[in-house]
Amino acid sequence: MNLEIPQSVKVWSQFIHPILMWVLLVISFYALYLGIQIRRTRSAEGEVKKELLKGKFNVKHHQMGSLLLALMVTVAIIGMAVTYINNGKLFVGPHLLAGLGMMAIIAIAASLTPLMQKGSDWARNTHIFLNIVLLGLFGWQAVSGVEILQRIISKM
């Protein structure tokens, strides 16, 4: 059985990955904001600390991190699948390789959560470092992705 995907679906499916990744980039910066608030809460004292605790930044940060992990991996796979469906191959280059690296980084950063919950400073610092690298790669991915998208649009 040979399942043929309609051409219109093939064309418009190419926009799912970039749109969702831009949404995830915004969510990533929100997660960064929440992480900064957790650090502020950790070092605050007295009434300031009480007020910051009301924000439940740790819960929100954990929720956003879980969402990011699940969606980043899923949307990256969708991007590779759509590319393969439309071209019969993946284009192995900086955009793909950096994206695969991002999936590894976010998985490692998330895996440090149990150690951070036990108070491990090295795990917390590694988590922060990895996520800064992730955000840098993500920013570069956004720019290189727009270039790829412009090439796709110019061929339509």
Side-chain angles (χ1 to χ4, degrees), residues 50-137:
K50 281 184 187 178
E51 204 55 40
L52 286 168
L53 285 170
K54 289 179 186 176
K56 297 186 180 184
F57 298 116
N58 58 340
V59 173
K60 293 175 186 175
H61 181 73
H62 189 82
Q63 290 169 338
M64 288 301 106
S66 296
L67 179 70
L68 282 168
L69 173 61
L71 290 179
M72 186 177 291
V73 171
T74 302
V75 174
I77 291 169
I78 288 170
M80 290 183 279
V82 168
T83 299
Y84 187 80
I85 288 167
N86 282 304
N87 302 287
K89 65 179 181 175
L90 290 179
F91 299 100
V92 179
H95 188 82
L96 175 65
L97 296 175
L100 292 171
M102 288 170 58
M103 288 196 298
I105 290 169
I106 197 166
I108 295 166
S111 75
L112 295 170
T113 301
L115 295 170
M116 291 185 295
Q117 289 172 336
K118 291 181 180 176
S120 172
D121 283 334
W122 75 262
R124 188 170 286 116
N125 291 331
T126 303
H127 177 84
I128 292 166
F129 172 76
L130 288 172
N131 283 305
I132 289 169
V133 171
L134 178 68
L135 268 176
L137 280 172

Side-chain angles (χ1 to χ4, degrees), residues 11-29:
V11 169
W12 295 108
S13 67
Q14 298 176 96
F15 298 99
I16 294 169
H17 172 78
I19 290 167
L20 291 177
M21 286 308 241
W22 275 93
V23 170
L24 291 178
L25 181 60
V26 170
I27 293 171
S28 295
F29 278 103

